[in-house]
Amino acid sequence: MAAEPHRSDEPPASILVIDDEPGVREGCRRVLTAEGYATDTTESALQALEWLPQKDYDLVLVDLKMPGMDGLEFLAAAQELGTETVFVVITAYATLSMAVDATKRGAYDFVAKPFTPDELLSVTRKALERARLVRERNRLWEERERRLLELATEKGRLRSIVEAMTDGVIVTNRDAQVVLYNAAALAMIGCQEPGPARHIRDSLPLPDLVRLIEEATAGTEVARLTREIRVGSEPHQVVMASVSPVTDPEGSCLGAVTVLSDVSELKKVELVKAQFVNMVAHELRAPLAAIDSNLMVILDGYAPDPSKQRELLERSHARLRALLDMVNDLLAISRMEARAAVRTIRSLDVAEIASEVCSLMEPLAAQRGIPPTLDLPPEPVQMDADHQEISALLSNLISNAIKYNRPGGRVTVSLRVQDQRLCIEVSDTGVGISEEAQQRIFDEFFREKTEATKLVTGTGLGLSIVKRIVDGYHGQITVRSQLGQGSTFTVHLPLAQSTGGHH
Ligand code: ADP
């Protein structure tokens, strides 16, 4: 007999022989078992169909001519099971048409009766080799499918992560084509789909960004580059772009990952701050220059007359006082800006504060002959607030109402509580505010210059402070006014502070 056909570390190949002739079954079993194959036999094709899914045979030898279910019927039914088993038919009449028929039904080969043990073994070995190849091919397919699936899942996961980022992400390959991006990036740079296989010069609308990516990936010295890129017509519309080249282990460039973060809000704040500083410097400059020139006139001896000198000094003094007021208002603003400001929120009686402010205002009111009238509810007006802020709010509004009044005019301060909100109304019968000025009185340094207001001193900061305070309590302030008739400022503030009390 021939040598063992299978390697000892593998299980023996399993074979099923189906034949109604006991002699053929027994002969096959003997020959195959002697070769080391695990061999089963049966006379019934139906029995074989039952075993097939359970035993996972490598090879089935099936007789074509059998009572009951014959070989061809068996092949058709076995084919349905989708096993990896290889089928060989045993036939007494080996005609070409029979072979074609059997092959059509999934048989791989045939062996003609009567056959010698060598013929049987030769067909068996060939068929088993076939079985091995089929199994191997199927394993490879499965492996490939699994890999593809893994890859797809991995890619999907990467996409979801990139898509979920609030920063913009653009990944480019070594040919400077966009291979991955997220919606945030498109929104930031104002771009539609960048489209595949196009150079970024043709697909990204920002030449500065394209240049940055090219710069970061061009040189031999690859390094991350970060730059601010303008993305809109407004000076504050800026994204911070950071391009990191990606290299292989040898150091050659594979592409780049660009991360974009929207810094527009920060830029806006920066610009506002710069404008504010500029404005303050301008406001300080005029009075300081005036004082400087007054003093120079005296020092250089151009005003030898003591009464002239006194007049210049008095004028300088007045301007200095105004400057001091302005600096105090600026300090109040900066205190409000610093969030950690000493803001103490507690339950206050606003009616009491209003009375306090009015008594502090007495000298000014007496000077102008306009004592304010208080219209308060009988019970205390409790509110969660910072004493200093409420006091500053009231005194700015009430002092304006007195300052911008007419001789014999009136000022009324009223407090009312409605729907958990406090309504403060300060109205006067003064000079009034023009329509255009009403839009701007809450801006820093804005003052309406008319015949009626030109002698009134002020910084133009009072109402901007009031506005900041009102905003800090999530309230509203409005003004109604008519030139020559008077003005009414109305403030609404929520009585309870839900925010824990910070601006
Ligand atoms: P200031 O009073 O120091 O000039 P404010 O910010 O308090 O600054 O007010 C800005 C401008 O709004 C004033 O210069 C004035 O022209 C106008 N204004 C404010 N309150 C009144 C008022 N009650 N009646 C008329 N004009 C007012």
Side-chain angles (χ1 to χ4, degrees):
M1 283 284 157
E4 291 277 299
H6 70 274
R7 277 181 272 132
S8 56
D9 56 344
E10 277 176 16
S14 59
I15 301 174
L16 173 64
V17 180
I18 315 165
D19 202 309
D20 58 325
E21 288 178 53
V24 176
R25 285 205 304 274
E26 195 41 38
C28 287
R29 202 189 55 74
R30 228 179 315 111
V31 171
L32 296 173
T33 309
E35 272 298 290
Y37 301 122
T39 312
D40 288 336
T41 61
T42 176
E43 58 182 337
S44 149
L46 281 171
Q47 172 71 74
L49 276 179
E50 237 171 75
W51 287 349
L52 220 49
Q54 301 159 15
K55 299 231 181 159
D56 196 20
Y57 292 106
D58 295 300
L59 169 63
V60 171
L61 293 156
V62 57
D63 186 18
L64 275 188
K65 200 96 167 79
M66 287 184 293
M69 180 183 263
D70 73 11
L72 287 181
E73 282 165 352
F74 168 81
L75 281 177
Q79 222 45 39
E80 296 280 301
L81 296 173
T83 62
E84 292 175 324
T85 308
V86 169
F87 299 95
V88 167
V89 294
I90 304 171
T91 174
Y93 2 77
T95 65
L96 190 62
S97 73
M98 183 286 307
V100 168
D101 239 16
T103 312
K104 267 197 200 141
R105 309 238 176 152
Y108 166 66
D109 203 353
F110 62 90
V111 53
K113 277 192 216 177
F115 45 78
T116 64
D118 277 346
E119 278 168 343
L120 174 65
L121 287 174
S122 157
V123 167
T124 298
R125 284 194 197 110
K126 230 170 78 192
L128 284 175
E129 177 61 13
R130 166 74 180 178
R132 194 181 62 77
L133 289 176
V134 166
R135 283 184 196 274
E136 202 169 279
R137 189 198 62 194
N138 288 351
R139 290 300 90 77
L140 287 174
W141 265 100
E142 275 166 20
E143 176 76 355
R144 217 186 83 140
E145 290 289 302
R146 203 169 47 75
R147 285 265 169 80
L148 281 175
L149 200 69
E150 263 172 24
L151 209 65
T153 324
E154 204 50 49
K155 245 179 147 173
R157 202 175 293 155
L158 183 66
R159 274 221 140 268
S160 322
I161 292 170
V162 168
E163 202 49 56
M165 287 172 70
T166 44
D167 277 350
V169 176
I170 298 175
V171 181
T172 43
N173 62 15
R174 71 170 94 210
D175 299 322
Q177 295 161 338
V178 174
V179 289
L180 182 69
Y181 58 88
N182 63 4
L186 298 189
M188 274 183 219
I189 64 178
C191 164
Q192 307 290 319
E193 303 280 302
R198 283 165 69 200
H199 194 280
I200 47 174
R201 257 179 255 139
D202 306 316
S203 60
L204 298 183
L206 299 171
D208 286 348
L209 181 61
V210 172
R211 215 166 300 128
L212 187 68
I213 296 174
E214 285 177 333
E215 257 176 61
T217 50
T220 41
E221 272 291 286
V222 280
R224 174 186 305 169
L225 290 183
T226 301
R227 198 169 297 163
E228 285 182 4
I229 310 260
R230 280 274 296 270
V231 290
S233 49
E234 299 292 324
H236 69 268
Q237 292 179 307
V238 170
V239 296
M240 183 68 87
S242 182
V243 185
S244 309
V246 180
T247 54
D248 64 13
E250 280 79 51
S252 75
C253 185
L254 297 173
V257 177
T258 303
V259 176
L260 305 168
S261 36
D262 190 348
V263 291
S264 300
E265 282 308 309
L266 286 174
K267 279 279 143 192
K268 210 159 155 188
V269 172
E270 246 174 54
L271 283 170
V272 168
K273 287 252 135 103
Q275 275 164 7
F276 188 73
V277 170
N278 193 10
M279 218 154 52
V280 170
H282 267 95
E283 292 296 322
L284 295 175
R285 196 158 188 254
L288 283 173
I291 295 163
D292 180 59
S293 83
N294 289 346
L295 295 181
M296 285 312 286
V297 169
I298 299 171
L299 290 172
D300 290 347
Y302 290 116
D305 180 2
S307 69
K308 178 68 188 163
Q309 284 185 6
R310 188 176 175 85
E311 188 201 319
L312 287 171
L313 287 173
E314 270 169 1
R315 258 198 267 157
S316 303
H317 186 227
R319 308 238 38 184
L320 275 173
R321 292 300 288 266
L323 272 176
L324 208 56
D325 285 346
M326 189 184 293
V327 169
N328 282 331
D329 281 352
L330 285 171
L331 282 174
I333 290 176
S334 98
R335 265 199 302 274
M336 265 182 272
E337 289 287 287
R339 295 200 162 205
V342 272
R343 195 174 187 234
T344 332
I345 303 289
R346 50 196 172 81
S347 181
L348 305 170
D349 178 4
V350 181
E352 191 185 315
I353 300 176
S355 310
E356 272 169 30
V357 169
C358 283
S359 29
L360 284 171
M361 221 52 86
E362 256 162 32
L364 179 69
Q367 193 190 338
R368 307 283 166 110
I370 308 167
T373 311
L374 271 171
D375 176 7
L376 304 175
E379 67 280 3
V381 180
Q382 293 306 131
M383 175 184 172
D384 298 337
D386 177 281
H387 186 284
Q388 220 210 316
E389 286 180 349
I390 298 302
S391 162
L393 183 153
L394 287 166
S395 65
N396 274 302
L397 290 178
I398 298 171
S399 71
N400 279 352
I402 298 172
K403 283 194 312 187
Y404 300 102
N405 222 307
R406 309 179 265 113
R410 270 171 292 117
V411 169
T412 312
V413 180
S414 84
L415 300 186
R416 268 177 294 119
V417 172
Q418 209 176 9
D419 302 334
Q420 282 302 298
R421 276 158 33 116
L422 166 63
C423 172
I424 304 171
E425 213 164 69
V426 179
S427 60
D428 63 64
T429 54
V431 300
I433 308 165
S434 71
E435 291 267 340
E436 308 92 271
Q438 284 176 34
Q439 315 293 320
R440 303 183 51 200
I441 46 175
F442 298 105
D443 294 350
E444 282 95 3
F445 301 115
F446 177 80
R447 307 199 68 214
E448 184 168 36
K449 300 214 170 58
T450 64
E451 270 306 304
T453 61
K454 93 178 170 200
L455 289 176
V456 182
T457 58
T459 60
L461 290 171
L463 285 180
S464 79
I465 291 173
V466 169
K467 176 83 168 80
R468 279 167 203 256
I469 294 172
V470 171
D471 287 347
Y473 291 90
H474 309 288
Q476 284 100 37
I477 180 164
T478 52
V479 60
R480 273 176 292 126
S481 181
Q482 223 169 352
L483 273 179
Q485 303 283 306
S487 315
T488 300
F489 286 84
T490 310
V491 175
H492 283 103
L493 299 174
L495 286 177
Q497 291 299 298
S498 50
T499 54
H502 277 282
H503 283 290

